[in-house]
Amino acid sequence: MKRIKILILFSVVFSNILWAKPSFDEYVLDLKQQAIAKGYASDFVEQAFSQVKLRETVVKADKNQPETKITLDKYLATRVPDWKVQKAVKLLNENKAILDKVEQKFGVQKRFIVALWGNESNFGSIQGKHPVISSLVSLAYDGRRETLFKKQLFAALDILQQGHISQDKFVGSWAGAMGQSQFMPTSFLNYAVDFDGDGKKDIWQNKADVFASIANFLKSEGWSDKYTWGRQVKIPDNFDLSMIGLQRDAFKPLSEWHKLGVTRYSGDDLPQANLSASLLAPDGPKGRIYLVYENFHTLMKWNRSSYFGVSVSYLSDRIKKGS
């Protein structure tokens, strides 16, 4: 028995030696070799990784994301304060000429473009100051989500290689989200637009590109400018709560929701429109309840948080009202 325990202990120690985590420098060297194997020029790779450092603050931020549950009411008060609504209305009017062109080309209402712009980066004023390459390498090295962040890293190399941004200005959030639209690198490659035709997709400084990129994401994911996002509603006391949910089998025409006793928040009947919707209750049946259309589901592809989707939608409605 003693011999068996010794063998097991030896096996564990030997396995740990074999699978010991490489040093950060060793990991970076391996990433550079992988990049060259993928076809990136060695000079480009050396330059791209020349300033890479292990950013402990980034890894710590990823491990310690807040878990405190707040109510939707508190979330909306924080994300859509009156000053932000006023600023959104002001900036929409100031940029109306560009926004009109983007709206016409992509079929996305400008109030939703501005609402996303405001929610993601406070209209471009908060974009993050973390070097994107260092952040992504650090998060990949941490190992918890290595595959995800390596994918983002190679997408970031593509962005640099294509010349959309210089390396010294290639910064973003701690997680690698970039620019005024806060696109991750893969989203940039899929949706970013050079709207003014200057050869660069500049979501950091160029508002035309920022607005068009936001609109292109929404349009590509199914947005329709024929409709809005949804509305706050009331349900009867005896309502079957199993019908609440964003899953596809919970979609029903507005006429059916009307028959089930769902009304506008004011108590008036629902619109007589040929639309299907699902019921959303972010804080449960005692909190705010919404009937949401396909466009809301498109917003959920941008960010899977229902709180985020409601905050963007709420801001867009307040922009429409002008207050």
Side-chain angles (χ1 to χ4, degrees), residues 100-120:
D100 282 344
K101 292 178 181 178
V102 171
E103 180 176 325
Q104 184 176 8
K105 179 171 182 178
F106 292 96
V108 176
Q109 302 95 311
K110 50 185 169 286
R111 63 188 176 102
F112 287 99
I113 297 172
V114 172
L116 273 167
W117 183 36
N119 268 270
E120 283 293 1

Side-chain angles (χ1 to χ4, degrees), residues 79-80 84 114-122 308 311-312 315:
R79 297 301 293 262
V80 193
K84 180 174 278 190
V114 172
L116 273 167
W117 183 36
N119 268 270
E120 283 293 1
S121 66
N122 192 20
F308 179 88
S311 70
V312 171
L315 178 53

Side-chain angles (χ1 to χ4, degrees), residues 230-290:
R231 65 182 64 249
Q232 191 173 357
V233 295
K234 288 182 177 179
I235 58 175
D237 293 337
N238 61 346
F239 191 79
D240 181 359
L241 300 180
S242 68
M243 291 190 230
I244 296 175
L246 294 179
Q247 61 272 22
R248 282 291 160 185
D249 58 6
F251 260 67
K252 298 181 187 299
L254 291 186
S255 57
E256 287 194 29
W257 290 119
H258 170 72
K259 292 177 182 177
L260 291 167
V262 179
T263 67
R264 298 177 192 245
Y265 188 68
S266 64
D268 295 337
D269 289 344
L270 296 173
Q272 294 183 358
N274 186 23
L275 274 175
S276 290
S278 52
L279 271 179
L280 172 68
D283 286 345
K286 293 184 179 180
R288 298 187 186 214
I289 300 175
Y290 301 90

Side-chain angles (χ1 to χ4, degrees), residues 44 47-52 55 127-134 156 159-161 163-172 200 204-205:
F44 168 76
Q47 178 60 37
F49 284 85
S50 62
Q51 302 297 318
V52 166
R55 298 182 63 84
Q127 300 185 39
K129 298 180 180 179
H130 297 276
V132 170
I133 300 297
S134 280
I159 294 168
L160 273 181
Q161 189 175 59
H164 299 295
I165 187 78
S166 61
Q167 188 164 344
D168 62 310
K169 296 179 180 177
F170 197 28
V171 295
K200 295 182 179 180
W204 291 267
Q205 298 297 329

Side-chain angles (χ1 to χ4, degrees), residues 140-206:
Y141 176 68
D142 177 57
R144 294 189 311 120
R145 294 188 286 170
E146 182 182 21
T147 300
L148 166 66
F149 287 112
K150 281 179 66 174
K151 181 179 181 180
Q152 297 300 330
L153 171 64
F154 291 121
L157 292 181
D158 285 343
I159 294 168
L160 273 181
Q161 189 175 59
Q162 292 169 13
H164 299 295
I165 187 78
S166 61
Q167 188 164 344
D168 62 310
K169 296 179 180 177
F170 197 28
V171 295
S173 74
W174 62 263
M178 311 172 305
Q180 298 189 33
S181 56
Q182 288 292 280
F183 278 174
M184 291 297 288
T186 51
S187 292
F188 180 100
L189 295 179
N190 288 329
Y191 305 109
V193 173
D194 173 18
F195 195 70
D196 64 354
D198 67 353
K200 295 182 179 180
K201 300 173 182 178
D202 183 2
I203 62 171
W204 291 267
Q205 298 297 329
N206 189 318

